[in-house]
Amino acid sequence: MTPPKTGKEEKKRELSDHVLTLRNRLHEALSLGIKLDGNKLKKWQCTDAGIQSHVLKTMSAFIASVSLALSQHPLIKESISDMLVALVGILQSENEGILSRAADLTVKLFCSIRTSISQYPMLEVIISLSRLLSLYQLPVATSCAIALNYILTHLGNLRSTIRKEIWEALDKNNTVGSLARALQDYVDGVYPLEYFTEMVALLRTILWWWPLSRYYIWNNNTLMDKLEGNCASANTLVVTGVLKLLSALALCGHGAMKLLESTDLLPRIVQIMGESHPVSVRVEALILCQHLMRSAKGCTRLTMLCCEPLVQGVTKAMGGWRSSSSRRVPADQMPLVIEACRTALMTRWAGDHHHCFWVHEIDQILLNILIGNCASTYPMPPVFSSKELLAMVADNCSDTHPYVWDILGYLAANSEEDFHPRTTGEFCHLDILLSCACSVVTDMMQRGCSSLTSHMSELEPVSRSVLLMVLSPCKYIASRARYNLSEMVRPFGDIYLRFLLSSLQLNATGDVPIVSDSLHTTTNLINLACMSTLSQYHKLILKNKGIKILSAIIKRCINSDIHVSRSNIASHLQSASNWKTCCWGHLGDWEGNDILLFYSLLSLSQLIGSSNLVCDHYQKVSGEIIVCTRCGHSEAQDLIDSLQYILRNTLSSGPRCYAAYILSFFGICGFSNKLGRKIERAFNEHELADLELLLFNGQSFNVHGVILVARCPHLLPPIESLLKEKKMDDGYNIEEVIRGHGRRSRLKVRMSNRVDSGALCKILEYVYTGFILVNGEIVRPLKLLAKYCGLKSLSDMLHRKQLKWGTVGPDYDLSGALDLAGNPFSDIILKAKISERAMPNCNLCQLTSPHMHAHKIILCSNCDYLRALFQSGMHDSFSEVIEVPIGWEALSKLITWFYSGQLPKVNPDCRWINMNKEQQLSEVQAYIELSSLAEYWCLEEVGEESSKVVILCLQSDQKVSVEIIHYAANLSQWKLVEAGVSSVAHLYPKIRDAGELDNLCEEVVDMLRAEYVRYSQEQAYRSG
């Protein structure tokens, strides 16, 4: 009997004799240089050029015999691992010829194993290759760049710890710096083109995967100027490579802002979009513009410089294919059209570019993409039936449809009230677009009723588009969209609404979790919002408990830790670049990070006026809580509580705006906030009042000029007229009072005889507190006065004006009082500790030390300690200057908190991490000082927020931890000392050996030593 084959023999059987022979030769050669080190790990230990050359030759022959499929064979994988060990060693040779061959061979090896790269330990290879990028031996550097780029782009989904190790290796070898110098030194025609393109490609890959690398590029002005010049190159490969590099750089918010500062680069990028350039180049220019317009600020900057050519470039890229006789977008043009559509999503931001899009016939372009080239396909009668439109839409490529619906919705949402589209004879492209959208939505509604599946990628975008159209501020678009929707749903509207509400009822009760099928739940809510804009369906929705269902969903949303953003369900918005961004701050859509909450609020806003929940019997309790004293509507009270919670705790403007809008139906205008509740005390504070508003009926109101300047300047006469007053009532010159001399008295301001005293009282209450209760006969005069006073937000709530998409949410901020307009009312100076930092000259006084002019009423309202000081009658209470025991940086942050209620934060982004130790320490010291001052001045909120900032900085970067601990200990901030000790305990031996413990007091050293012992024991327990 033949004995069974061993595992090794079985593996060999799968390989050809030729491959086995080459493998044997390979391992014979590798054995000449690979040895086991002290840790019994394989290492290349031969520096003989002859042996290295022989090994490279056998490796080359072996690699040529290995196919991709064969590379997965266990014996081949073992050989590849050994070859990598050899290459790591050989790449450290000083022989240029050996290095060149080794680098080329490395490229061939990786090309042969391709995606299998992630199966091998690559860190040492990456280190060896990155060291050679700085060589002036261009062929070697080029090959190393190719190999390194191939590795980095084929690593796959690695653990974050491994990616961190790779970045640390790249950073240690100054890889980004080497690449930057290579690009700076590149001279076209002198160096090979491949050298430039490969260096650019590698740098782009590093910028894409490791955000910390981006700072080194956007902060390098020389390189940025060089790259800007490269964009004008006649070589397509150069321009394409640079555009890709800049797109990766623009993933960083700071990098994007740097690019947006260039008045030469931006027009050049826009010019590259033109039809005279190859499609591949135009695509990259469009992608770069998408990154630059990720924020409203970026869009505004780009459109300010080149609005017309930008929109022209985008629309030509979207519609240029129509010049051919093609019925639909040709396959070779599809990448360009899709990227152009993505760029056209800039329409989500308001601005003059909307007018440009209409001028460039965006409606005709969108229609052509949806139903085909109108000029060559259809006779185009002025009216299509719904079935004809559906057939045309279905007959064209659907990949672009989600973008078309989004663009159409944004155009509708940002149109002016009196906008009218262009028409060609009796034909109007926009009318057909509106009919298309309504036809697709109503078709999806009908399919939902009969449990049929619709096209998933279009489900949310087209429904959302119709919603934005029926809510459009443009009368033409809104009326046409509502008419179309109303006519198309008429045959099945009642049945569909019952189905829709019964489905949402399951979400409201929790029988079906609201996030179990978030796409359909969201679409149901959007469709309910659309139907709610049609008044003929209000009665049916209310009868089927529509408001109760929506209120329950809202409550579930705010009590849930699970949130659904639009990008979670809209597949066309899911881009890999979204997960690679850094330093952008809050960039959420207007809808916020929970669209289920948003669309529930929007639906409710359309229905609340028709419900029986609304009454005007509400009152303030404890300055905030609202209760109905007569009706006893527990459902209404629950809803009001939920809406107030949203106003207090939601960052996004959309949900806040709709919550405030719904509350206005209950007579609650504005929103309660922390700063407003503090300033409310000043409403009845007469001692520091510096203005007296005199009414025609003899009634008067004592008010504070600084608060009116910040919140309602229309109530004041021009500041210049105040300064021209020659004498005040008590004989003192006003300019002397401003400078701190003389006794203040109240300036008298006579109001018009048409001002209603009750309305003025409510206006002042709103100005001081941020919200008011309005009911009864006061509403009419209050509407008039609010409009006269320029309080648009209040006026809109009183008139219950339909919200415009993108409206900025309600806010309370007194920072405007720190501008020039607030200077005449300044009555106190806060003086910081002497600083080495040069201070600008003050226009209001002769002080040369760091100081800030402020207002006692603001300080008193925020700080009980200062209130007590000013009212004590002691010597300090009459002083014109208060010396604050903190530095200028801390004082400026404190003033910001006094006037806005928000303490500026340190964002631990790439700019922060790349600061030197002195800069970082200066930033953190300000918060340590504020933490100390907070204890003395009883500013609990400032103390808590300052501590959070310091702890966050300690966690993000530990290079100044010892200095922070030392500074905090000197100010007796032991909570911060403990946090600092905990963050660096694992570094105790390194800190001790570096002699840094000498700067710390004995108590802190003992704390650090004890924490290190605890940390060591914990590590031993985990590993044991």
Side-chain angles (χ1 to χ4, degrees):
M1 179 183 291
T2 304
K5 294 181 179 180
T6 64
K8 192 167 185 180
E9 290 174 335
E10 182 67 25
K11 291 177 183 177
K12 285 185 177 180
R13 188 182 63 79
E14 300 172 11
L15 301 176
S16 69
D17 292 338
H18 176 64
V19 173
L20 288 173
T21 299
L22 292 175
R23 181 176 183 274
N24 290 334
R25 290 176 183 173
L26 170 68
H27 282 275
E28 287 176 2
L30 290 174
S31 66
L32 298 175
I34 293 181
K35 309 295 180 183
L36 295 179
D37 64 7
N39 297 318
K40 300 196 179 297
L41 297 175
K42 291 181 179 180
K43 294 288 184 182
W44 179 264
Q45 299 179 8
C46 177
T47 58
D48 184 273
I51 293 177
Q52 291 176 345
S53 178
H54 172 62
V55 169
L56 292 174
K57 184 177 179 180
T58 58
M59 287 172 63
S60 179
F62 179 73
I63 292 171
S65 70
V66 176
S67 64
L68 179 60
L70 208 57
S71 67
Q72 297 301 308
H73 192 282
L75 292 180
I76 301 298
K77 292 172 73 173
E78 180 184 338
S79 299
I80 292 173
S81 296
D82 286 347
M83 284 192 290
L84 290 174
V85 172
L87 285 171
V88 168
I90 295 173
L91 285 170
Q92 298 178 42
S93 171
E94 296 181 1
N95 186 305
E96 182 177 345
I98 294 294
L99 284 177
S100 180
R101 290 174 59 193
D104 288 340
L105 194 62
T106 305
V107 175
K108 292 179 182 178
L109 174 61
F110 292 145
C111 288
S112 69
I113 62 177
R114 301 183 193 175
T115 55
S116 303
I117 284 177
S118 58
Q119 299 176 12
Y120 302 94
M122 284 290 166
L123 186 58
E124 292 299 322
V125 182
I126 290 171
I127 292 172
S128 296
L129 293 170
S130 62
R131 286 172 178 162
L132 298 175
L133 293 173
S134 59
L135 289 182
Y136 286 99
Q137 301 164 13
L138 301 189
V140 175
T142 302
S143 295
C144 288
I146 295 172
L148 189 52
N149 193 30
Y150 205 94
I151 295 173
L152 300 180
T153 53
H154 289 84
L155 286 174
N157 296 320
L158 296 177
R159 296 196 307 271
S160 59
T161 54
I162 297 178
R163 287 208 176 272
K164 183 180 179 182
E165 288 176 357
I166 293 175
W167 166 244
E168 289 173 349
L170 294 173
D171 192 31
K172 184 178 181 180
N173 288 317
N174 194 25
T175 305
V176 175
S178 297
L179 293 170
R181 282 192 299 274
L183 297 180
Q184 287 173 212
D185 297 341
Y186 176 77
V187 179
D188 191 17
V190 177
Y191 295 108
L193 176 61
E194 185 187 25
Y195 174 71
F196 178 84
T197 56
E198 295 302 337
M199 292 293 179
V200 166
L202 174 58
L203 182 55
R204 185 259 180 192
T205 299
I206 294 174
L207 295 179
W208 173 268
W209 282 107
W210 290 279
L212 289 178
S213 64
R214 298 165 189 164
Y215 172 87
Y216 299 112
I217 303 303
W218 65 256
N219 197 43
N220 185 334
N221 294 327
T222 304
L223 177 59
M224 294 298 289
D225 291 341
K226 186 81 173 185
L227 293 174
E228 181 179 316
N230 292 139
C231 285
S233 173
N235 191 300
T236 299
L237 291 176
V238 171
V239 177
T240 303
V242 171
L243 290 174
K244 287 182 177 180
L245 176 61
L246 295 180
S247 290
L249 187 63
L251 293 173
C252 172
H254 298 312
M257 290 302 115
K258 184 81 171 183
L259 294 174
L260 288 164
E261 291 172 3
S262 176
T263 56
D264 294 328
L265 176 63
L266 298 182
R268 191 168 294 166
I269 294 170
V270 172
Q271 185 266 336
I272 293 172
M273 293 181 191
E275 294 175 300
S276 61
H277 293 270
V279 169
S280 60
V281 178
R282 297 171 71 189
V283 164
E284 295 304 329
L286 289 164
I287 292 173
L288 176 53
C289 285
Q290 293 165 27
H291 292 311
L292 295 177
M293 295 188 289
R294 194 179 292 272
S295 68
K297 183 178 179 181
C299 181
T300 300
R301 174 64 178 168
L302 193 52
T303 52
M304 281 179 60
L305 279 175
C306 39
C307 184
E308 174 67 25
L310 172 64
V311 173
Q312 183 177 9
V314 173
T315 51
K316 282 189 176 297
M318 290 175 67
W321 60 275
R322 298 174 300 164
S323 59
S324 67
S325 58
S326 177
R327 177 181 172 183
R328 62 187 69 186
V329 181
D332 63 336
Q333 291 285 308
M334 186 57 71
L336 178 66
V337 173
I338 288 180
E339 293 305 336
C341 287
R342 286 174 176 162
T343 309
L345 293 179
M346 61 186 285
T347 49
R348 67 187 182 276
W349 310 118
D352 294 337
H353 53 285
H354 282 268
H355 173 72
C356 290
F357 271 106
W358 290 115
V359 168
H360 286 279
E361 301 179 337
I362 186 64
D363 49 345
Q364 182 175 347
I365 294 172
L366 294 176
L367 185 60
N368 290 160
I369 294 174
L370 269 181
I371 67 174
N373 192 345
C374 301
S376 64
T377 307
Y378 303 107
M380 300 308 294
V383 177
F384 289 105
S385 70
S386 181
K387 288 184 178 180
E388 288 174 324
L389 289 174
L390 286 172
M392 290 185 230
V393 171
D395 192 41
N396 280 270
C397 175
S398 63
D399 290 348
T400 55
H401 286 187
Y403 300 106
V404 171
W405 300 132
D406 274 0
I407 296 166
L408 179 58
Y410 287 133
L411 288 168
N414 289 286
S415 293
E416 298 297 329
E417 183 177 344
D418 57 353
F419 168 78
H420 276 78
R422 290 182 179 182
T423 57
T424 304
E426 297 182 0
F427 182 72
C428 178
H429 294 96
L430 181 58
D431 284 353
I432 305 299
L433 275 173
L434 298 178
S435 297
C436 276
C438 291
S439 297
V440 174
V441 165
T442 51
D443 180 61
M444 289 181 174
M445 288 178 178
Q446 286 180 293
R447 293 187 183 194
C449 287
S450 53
S451 301
L452 295 176
T453 303
S454 57
H455 200 294
M456 300 299 289
S457 65
E458 290 188 63
L459 193 58
E460 186 267 353
V462 68
S463 298
R464 182 175 180 269
S465 177
V466 171
L467 177 61
L468 293 184
M469 289 188 288
V470 296
L471 294 176
S472 173
C474 171
K475 293 180 179 179
Y476 179 89
I477 294 176
S479 61
R480 295 288 298 184
R482 292 189 186 195
Y483 173 79
N484 286 342
L485 182 63
S486 177
E487 290 300 308
M488 291 180 187
V489 300
R490 188 185 302 276
F492 63 91
D494 290 2
I495 298 173
Y496 174 69
L497 269 175
R498 291 190 181 94
F499 162 79
L500 190 61
L501 290 169
S502 64
S503 178
L504 290 172
Q505 174 69 30
L506 297 175
N507 298 131
T509 58
D511 292 338
V512 175
I514 57 176
V515 294
S516 62
D517 189 350
S518 51
L519 172 59
H520 281 93
T521 303
T522 301
T523 307
N524 284 343
L525 287 169
I526 294 174
N527 289 343
L528 178 59
C530 290
M531 299 293 284
S532 298
T533 64
L534 307 177
S535 58
Q536 64 266 34
Y537 291 107
H538 283 194
K539 186 175 180 180
L540 176 61
I541 295 173
L542 296 176
K543 181 179 179 181
N544 286 271
K545 302 180 180 180
I547 288 185
K548 188 174 183 179
I549 291 170
L550 290 169
S551 298
I553 293 176
I554 289 170
K555 196 167 186 177
R556 283 191 172 277
C557 287
I558 63 179
N559 291 331
S560 172
D561 293 329
I562 302 174
H563 304 290
V564 180
S565 65
R566 188 172 182 232
S567 60
N568 293 142
I569 63 169
S571 58
H572 66 294
L573 300 179
Q574 294 168 1
S575 169
S577 64
N578 293 335
W579 307 105
K580 306 296 181 185
T581 58
C582 69
C583 310
W584 278 99
H586 180 66
L587 273 182
D589 291 327
W590 191 64
E591 300 102 307
N593 64 351
D594 193 343
I595 54 176
L596 300 176
L597 172 65
F598 173 80
Y599 289 118
S600 297
L601 289 167
L602 199 160
S603 298
L604 185 58
S605 72
Q606 304 301 308
L607 300 168
I608 193 68
S610 302
S611 74
N612 62 356
L613 293 182
V614 175
C615 70
D616 57 3
H617 307 147
Y618 294 90
Q619 63 181 11
K620 288 185 184 180
V621 175
S622 302
E624 178 180 355
I625 302 171
I626 310 299
V627 296
C628 179
T629 56
R630 301 183 192 176
C631 301
H633 278 311
S634 60
E635 184 181 338
Q637 185 61 59
D638 286 345
L639 175 59
I640 289 173
D641 291 341
S642 296
L643 296 173
Q644 289 189 318
Y645 178 88
I646 292 168
L647 285 171
R648 288 194 301 267
N649 297 281
T650 305
L651 291 176
S652 302
S653 291
R656 288 165 56 84
C657 284
Y658 275 109
Y661 177 78
I662 297 168
L663 283 172
S664 69
F665 284 83
F666 296 92
I668 305 167
C669 296
F671 74 106
S672 177
N673 63 93
K674 288 187 292 186
L675 184 57
R677 290 194 294 273
K678 294 173 184 176
I679 300 300
E680 184 176 12
R681 297 194 296 181
F683 189 39
N684 299 312
E685 172 64 67
H686 294 164
E687 183 177 345
L688 294 174
D690 46 16
L691 290 176
E692 186 177 5
L693 305 182
L694 303 176
L695 295 176
F696 187 74
N697 63 3
Q699 191 175 357
S700 65
F701 295 93
N702 295 321
V703 295
H704 306 85
V706 60
I707 296 176
L708 296 190
V709 162
R711 295 274 294 156
C712 187
H714 286 76
L715 271 178
L716 290 172
I719 297 298
E720 293 77 10
S721 67
L722 292 176
L723 294 174
K724 288 180 181 178
E725 292 284 342
K726 293 183 179 179
K727 297 286 182 180
M728 297 180 68
D729 291 346
D730 55 6
Y732 286 97
N733 185 283
I734 187 170
E735 293 188 357
E736 291 180 347
V737 175
I738 292 171
R739 288 171 171 76
H741 306 289
R743 181 174 59 84
R744 275 189 177 266
S745 64
R746 298 189 184 106
L747 293 176
K748 301 185 187 308
V749 178
R750 296 193 178 277
M751 309 301 293
S752 167
N753 59 5
R754 290 175 293 179
V755 173
D756 181 88
S757 61
L760 179 58
C761 183
K762 281 292 182 183
I763 288 287
L764 292 174
E765 183 183 353
Y766 177 80
V767 167
Y768 275 76
T769 67
F771 89 117
I772 52 174
L773 294 177
V774 181
N775 52 55
E777 298 178 355
I778 197 66
V779 174
R780 181 179 174 82
L782 187 56
K783 287 181 180 179
L784 295 173
L785 190 55
K787 183 177 180 181
Y788 168 80
C789 290
L791 297 173
K792 186 177 184 306
S793 179
L794 176 60
S795 178
D796 288 348
M797 285 185 282
L798 291 169
H799 286 88
R800 294 171 185 170
K801 184 178 179 181
Q802 180 65 53
L803 289 173
K804 182 178 180 180
W805 193 270
T807 300
V808 178
D811 199 6
Y812 190 102
D813 192 353
L814 301 174
S815 299
L818 296 172
D819 297 336
L820 182 63
N823 288 341
F825 303 104
S826 173
D827 54 2
I828 193 69
I829 295 174
L830 298 182
K831 181 180 175 183
K833 292 189 301 186
I834 299 298
S835 171
E836 296 179 0
R837 178 177 174 178
M839 298 298 300
N841 294 329
C842 179
N843 296 324
L844 296 177
C845 68
Q846 302 301 316
L847 284 177
T848 57
S849 57
H851 67 280
M852 185 79 77
H853 289 264
H855 309 83
K856 286 185 177 180
I857 190 62
I858 305 296
L859 304 185
C860 288
S861 299
N862 282 280
C863 180
D864 290 335
Y865 168 81
L866 291 177
R867 171 181 284 271
L869 175 66
F870 294 142
Q871 295 177 349
S872 66
M874 298 171 59
H875 178 267
D876 287 348
S877 66
F878 300 105
S879 176
E880 301 169 5
V881 179
I882 296 179
E883 294 192 3
V884 188
I886 56 178
W888 168 251
E889 289 79 8
L891 179 60
S892 63
K893 290 175 172 57
L894 179 63
I895 289 293
T896 299
W897 180 81
F898 277 140
Y899 285 78
S900 70
Q902 302 293 325
L903 191 69
K905 303 293 194 300
V906 169
N907 187 9
D909 56 17
C910 65
R911 174 178 285 173
W912 159 260
I913 292 173
N914 285 287
M915 284 182 180
N916 60 41
K917 292 180 66 171
E918 291 72 21
Q919 291 172 322
Q920 280 194 354
L921 186 59
S922 176
E923 283 281 335
V924 179
Q925 280 178 343
Y927 292 97
I928 299 174
E929 292 173 1
L930 286 175
S931 179
S932 176
L933 181 72
E935 294 178 355
Y936 184 45
W937 280 16
C938 305
L939 298 171
E940 183 178 349
E941 183 181 342
V942 172
E944 290 178 356
E945 293 299 316
S946 298
S947 296
K948 288 179 182 177
V949 172
V950 176
I951 293 171
L952 180 63
C953 292
L954 285 167
Q955 293 171 344
S956 65
D957 194 353
Q958 296 164 350
K959 62 188 174 189
V960 291
S961 294
V962 174
E963 289 82 356
I964 291 174
I965 292 170
H966 175 66
Y967 198 79
N970 287 343
L971 294 180
S972 300
Q973 295 302 294
W974 297 108
K975 178 182 176 181
L976 299 181
V977 172
E978 291 174 2
V981 165
S982 177
S983 71
V984 298
H986 64 290
L987 300 174
Y988 173 76
K990 182 179 178 181
I991 295 171
R992 179 195 58 206
D993 296 342
E996 295 183 67
L997 294 180
D998 297 341
N999 298 325
L1000 301 176
C1001 66
E1002 187 174 344
E1003 183 177 358
V1004 174
V1005 173
D1006 290 341
M1007 291 172 62
L1008 188 55
R1009 188 182 297 113
E1011 184 64 19
Y1012 174 67
V1013 171
R1014 189 196 65 78
Y1015 166 80
S1016 301
Q1017 292 173 342
E1018 184 176 297
Q1019 291 300 111
Y1021 175 78
R1022 288 179 179 177
S1023 61

